[in-house]
Each structure stands twice: as C-alpha cells, then as structure tokens.
Amino acid sequence: MKPSYNRFRRFCAFSVGVILLLSGILKLMDPTGTGFIVKSWLDFLHIGFLAPVAVGIAECLALLESVIGAALMSGVWRKITAIAASVLMGFFTILTVALAIANPVMDCGCFGEAVHLTHNQSLIKNIAICALLCLAFLPFRDFGKPRPVKYVAFSISLISLIVFALWSMIALPLKDYTGFAPGKILEASRSEDFVDLSEPVFVYEKDGERKNFRLDNLPDSSWTFIDSKIIEDEYSSRPVLSIYDAEGEYCDSLAARGKVMVVSVYRKLHRRNAAGVRDFVSLAAASGYVPLILTSSPEYLPEDLRPLSRRADYKTLATLNRSNGGVTYCVDGQIVRKWSCNFRPQKEKLAELAVGDPTSLALESQSLGGLSFQGFLLYIFAVLLLL
C-alpha cells in the first residue's frame, strides 16, 4: 500500500485510541458511578442478578477500554488490537442499538459523569467509531510495525492505568462531575420556603417477587429490603439531598445550617469502617462541627449509631460521596470538601478547616482535583506520544 494511505490508516486507528482511552479513564476514575451505569445495563438485559458485582464489571470494562485505547495510540500488536477493538465496539454498538430502540430512562455512560449522551447520540458515536475502525483495519493486512520504543511506552501506560484504577477504588474521583461537586449550594439552603416534592420508594423482595412500597405502607418482616429510590428525574443534577426522619418528615435543613460533617452510608458498614465512622462522629462533634449520618437503611449501621442517623435515597448518597462511610463538609448549605472512608480528616485538619473560608476551600478542592486529573491525562498522552 502507498505510504500516504498507511499514514491515513494509522491516523484512524490513533483517533479511535484517543476516544477509547479518554472514555475508559473517565469511567475508571469513578468506579461507583460506572457501577451504576453497568447496573442499569444489567437490568435492561434482564440479568440483574449480577448487580452485586456491577462495580467489578465496570472497572474491568473501563480498564479494558483504556488499555485498548493505549494500544491503538501506540500501535503495538496491531492485529490483536484490531480484533479486540472491533469486538469491543461491536458489542457496545449492538447494545446501543437496543437502547435506541427501547429508549429506557437511563444514561449510556459512554464518558461517565463528564458527558451525558442520549441513546441516539451514543449510537451515532459508536457507528462513527466503527467506521474509523473499518478504515483503519480493512483490508486486514499490511498493518506495519511500530518502533520498539512504543512497546515501552505502552507498558508504562498499562502500569499507570492499573495503578490509577487501584487508587480510584480507595479514594474519591479526582474530578467531581456530579451535581454535588464542591462549591455547589444545596437546594434547601437557598430558601426557607423550599419544599422537596420528591418521594421515597422502598424496594422489598419476597419469594422472588420485588415490589415498591411507600414510607407509610412498608411490608412486614417477611419481606427483605433491597433498595430505596426517589421518584423524580433520575438524572437531575439539582443538589437536593431529600433527608427525612423516622416519621417521614423532610429535614434537608439539617445539612444546610452551620458547619456540618455529613457521613454517607449507603451499604452495610464493615466492622473497621463502622469503628471509623464512630470515632469520626465523636471527633467532629468535639471539634465544633455538627455530625450528620445519612443512610439509605438503618440496617447498614451499628445499633449505637442508628439514633444519630437520618434517611436519604441510596443513589443520592452515593452521588453526594462515592465512598461508603465517606465524609462531606458543608457550611450553610455549601458543599466544601469531600473525603473517602480511607482518608477522613483528623483533628489537625478539622481545626484548619474551621477557620478557613468555605468558598475558597471549595474552589481549592475543585481546582486541585481538576489539575490532578488533567496532569494524569497529560502524563499518559505524553508517554504514548513522545516515547
């Protein structure tokens, strides 16, 4: 083939690699959020029994997508990479065709929380990528060989992506693209007349049958609690917590007055994590903060912490803070900082936060996270392009 056409083929493969790498990293950065996306896919495909491993599936798919993207950009093992990329995109394209036809109320999650596409937009994107793959790899021969240093570049990128994935499993996303990002103002704090019109619904199961129940009509103990959700626009980015007490009365103002340390518990706490929550609540109270434990089910908490808790929707809590047992600092309704359950602030940090300007701290948090994420992207691209 002519050298100019070979360069065109490499350009097509490289372009697909950039898209897959960016898409994979954005999902890899947010395991919990990507797990929600995969769970919605599983429910759509009627294999919801795999929901307990949705986060694991999400991380594996995101890592695979990132690695294939890096391989396409570096040009290593071109035949194997061509097959892997074609199979991956074929699967996603078939899935998006089904989504476009059925049009369920869910997000495709192509770029995580960063970019939201409709099903039709996602389908068009996938068709365009498949067209680029055809231009890059058909006819299936004469791919050429990369320079040996490209194998070194790919290896460094692979190790970096694995480390990034492991870090994302224990820490919060470097860049927060949710509606509860630092700097956002909780809706309840904007007006004393705010009324939350959302309504909690609880999902219970008995003898293989699942039903939705409202707070004033919960089933007996023969039913098993599965999940809770809020009846509203599921993908609304409005920062509304929808907190309610045991009597079902809304009390969002609890997180919108004063200096509040909100602990999100949306899954059952393990013993070590529960001890950490208990210690942090005591430390926060002693440091002059108002500790507030929010949980989607009291059963997820030890008995001594249940009287201190309030209820909120599972997905809302996981959006507020991606870490189960993680902490979110709010001042008069403004979200200031977030920490995962593995890096809760200690006494010295709490004292430092108490005298800091909330708006400045929120901007610093967002800027630091954004710069860290951009730095990682620049590092990966520099390795793949310059080596």
Side-chain angles (χ1 to χ4, degrees), residues 203-357:
V203 183
Y204 282 79
E205 184 177 52
K206 180 180 180 180
D207 299 330
E209 180 185 6
R210 291 190 179 186
K211 285 188 176 181
N212 295 337
F213 295 89
R214 302 186 187 281
L215 188 62
D216 58 356
N217 187 34
L218 295 179
D220 57 42
S221 58
S222 63
W223 290 78
T224 303
F225 173 78
I226 300 297
D227 195 5
S228 65
K229 55 187 178 181
I230 294 293
I231 299 178
E232 61 175 357
D233 181 5
E234 189 174 357
Y235 298 102
S236 172
S237 60
R238 294 184 301 115
V240 180
L241 283 178
S242 300
I243 306 171
Y244 50 96
D245 56 24
E247 287 72 36
E249 297 294 328
Y250 284 101
C251 46
D252 282 39
S253 58
L254 290 176
R257 295 175 183 172
K259 298 179 178 180
V260 185
M261 289 289 178
V262 181
V263 181
S264 303
V265 179
Y266 51 87
R267 291 196 304 270
K268 187 174 180 60
L269 289 175
H270 297 296
R271 182 178 301 177
R272 182 179 177 183
N273 200 357
V277 169
R278 189 179 293 109
D279 293 342
F280 177 78
V281 167
S282 299
L283 178 60
S287 300
Y289 296 91
V290 178
L292 176 61
I293 301 176
L294 299 182
T295 181
S296 54
S297 171
E299 299 174 3
Y300 297 157
L301 293 168
E303 290 187 8
D304 61 315
L305 292 178
R306 292 177 186 178
L308 305 175
S309 68
R310 298 293 187 274
R311 300 288 293 275
D313 173 53
Y314 166 84
K315 191 169 184 179
T316 301
L317 288 178
T319 305
L320 174 67
N321 193 300
R322 292 306 200 193
S323 177
N324 187 46
V327 177
T328 302
Y329 176 37
C330 301
V331 178
D332 294 329
Q334 182 180 26
I335 299 174
V336 179
R337 284 279 176 91
K338 297 183 181 184
W339 299 269
S340 75
C341 64
N342 299 297
F343 303 102
R344 297 186 188 98
Q346 300 303 309
K347 185 176 182 179
E348 296 77 11
K349 186 63 176 179
L350 290 176
E352 177 186 332
L353 291 170
V355 297
D357 177 66

Side-chain angles (χ1 to χ4, degrees), residues 16-31:
V16 174
V18 171
I19 297 172
L20 292 182
L21 181 61
L22 283 173
S23 174
I25 289 177
L26 285 168
K27 292 196 283 283
L28 205 61
M29 177 178 67
D30 185 6

Side-chain angles (χ1 to χ4, degrees), residues 56 65 98 120 169 237 286:
E65 190 175 4
N120 289 332
M169 293 294 290
S237 60

